[in-house]
Amino acid sequence: MKHHLSNGCSFSTNKPYLSCHQRLGQRLMLEPTINLAKGGRGNDRILNTTMHWFLKNPERITDTFVSVGWTTGFRWDYISTQHPPLQWGSWHALFHDSFVHDKDVDLELASAVKLYTNILSLQYFLKYHKIPYVFYWALTNDLPENFPDLKLLKDGIDLNHFYNFKESDFANENVRTSWGWDHFYNVKEDDSANENVKMQLDNRSSYVQSHFEYVAKNGWTKSASDGHPNMTGHHNWADNLYNFVQENKLCPK
């Protein structure tokens, strides 16, 4: 492998001090990282921009490793008409009245189906082209199984390539797919909300599902009012990903 392509939301964008993706590429000796991540965008965009990059750069199929931090399932992406071609916008479906008040729309189930379908679509695209990869959760998602067909999608995800896929105790108790991280990281003027999140995480098992949970648990956020990882939160998470990649032999020499 010579190259490293990464994608995700704001947790995955490049940083001057190296994001988790940049540090992962550094540790795998695949610098520099080609980063497609964009803040505030969802998983539709992650899937499409990753596939498009390889379709536009077919010569990179044989020598590129991919890392993806999947975001909350309730960010629904669309193609913007204001900045063509293929510029993406996003909305949070739960905050969009036309969805919330439409009794025919099951937002929770629709978001879960979209989430799993995006992951499986990129998984199978990468496997078909024999492109090595690692996935992880940037933001926490609960993983419902309230319909047999939904469980079939979930069970199709290759856990050997997905770091900490399963729910955490904290995710089960505090977050719905629809809310993502904003639901429980609601910081007020003081640090009480941040401390409440940290206390709940500290009182559970050491396992965390997402990059967000990891930095919230350890106090490695940018500030009390900003749940994004600081430098330590990026680098330590990258080291965890590196160990997972090495243990599962995901990145050929």
Side-chain angles (χ1 to χ4, degrees):
M1 291 293 106
K2 296 180 180 179
H3 302 281
H4 176 211
L5 180 73
S6 66
N7 211 339
C9 60
S10 59
F11 270 54
S12 301
T13 54
N14 283 346
K15 303 293 186 292
Y17 46 76
L18 301 186
S19 70
C20 61
H21 293 275
Q22 291 169 288
R23 181 173 174 89
L24 176 62
Q26 182 186 64
R27 293 210 59 187
L28 292 170
M29 295 184 285
L30 299 175
E31 296 183 89
T33 294
I34 304 159
N35 199 317
L36 304 179
K38 189 171 180 62
R41 298 295 177 258
N43 296 316
D44 293 324
R45 179 192 174 276
I46 290 173
L47 165 64
N48 279 273
T49 54
T50 305
M51 291 195 303
H52 273 93
W53 189 87
F54 281 107
L55 295 174
K56 292 175 181 177
N57 302 278
E59 71 281 2
R60 295 279 73 88
I61 286 175
T62 59
D63 63 4
T64 301
F65 179 78
V66 172
S67 63
V68 171
W70 296 96
T71 190
T72 174
F74 247 67
R75 284 179 180 165
W76 291 15
D77 299 316
Y78 59 88
I79 302 295
S80 172
T81 60
Q82 298 181 13
H83 305 286
L86 284 186
Q87 292 294 317
W88 293 83
S90 305
W91 60 69
H92 196 303
L94 196 65
F95 303 150
H96 204 280
D97 287 345
S98 63
F99 291 127
V100 172
H101 299 299
D102 189 337
K103 295 181 180 180
D104 190 48
V105 179
D106 187 327
L107 292 178
E108 190 78 11
L109 183 57
S111 293
V113 169
K114 283 167 62 65
L115 178 68
Y116 294 146
T117 301
N118 282 329
I119 295 170
L120 285 171
S121 297
L122 188 53
Q123 171 183 300
Y124 289 131
F125 175 87
L126 296 173
K127 285 180 178 289
Y128 177 80
H129 290 287
K130 297 184 169 78
I131 300 168
Y133 71 94
V134 64
F135 291 164
Y136 70 91
W137 297 115
L139 301 186
T140 297
N141 283 280
D142 73 349
L143 305 172
E145 296 180 350
N146 47 331
F147 287 89
D149 289 347
L150 191 61
K151 188 176 186 303
L152 283 174
L153 294 176
K154 177 180 176 181
D155 289 346
I157 295 171
D158 187 346
L159 302 188
N160 291 325
H161 287 259
F162 206 120
Y163 177 62
N164 285 13
F165 173 77
K166 296 179 181 179
E167 305 95 318
S168 63
D169 292 339
F170 183 75
N172 282 331
E173 295 178 16
N174 292 277
V175 66
R176 295 165 53 215
T177 303
S178 56
W179 287 99
W181 73 299
D182 347 26
H183 179 49
F184 54 87
Y185 197 88
N186 182 22
V187 179
K188 300 176 183 177
E189 291 183 2
D190 57 24
D191 291 349
S192 59
N194 189 21
E195 287 303 313
N196 183 50
V197 170
K198 192 173 185 301
M199 285 174 58
Q200 290 182 69
L201 285 164
D202 285 343
N203 291 333
R204 301 299 186 265
S205 68
S206 59
Y207 173 82
V208 293
Q209 183 198 46
S210 67
H211 193 187
F212 164 72
E213 283 182 44
Y214 182 69
V215 298
K217 179 179 178 63
N218 290 286
W220 294 330
T221 59
K222 292 178 74 174
S223 71
S225 59
D226 188 340
H228 291 87
N230 62 17
M231 182 176 72
T232 302
H234 275 290
H235 290 189
N236 287 354
W237 185 254
D239 292 343
N240 293 343
L241 289 174
Y242 173 79
N243 292 335
F244 180 78
V245 168
Q246 295 298 92
E247 289 167 6
N248 288 277
K249 300 180 171 60
L250 302 184
C251 184
K253 299 290 185 180

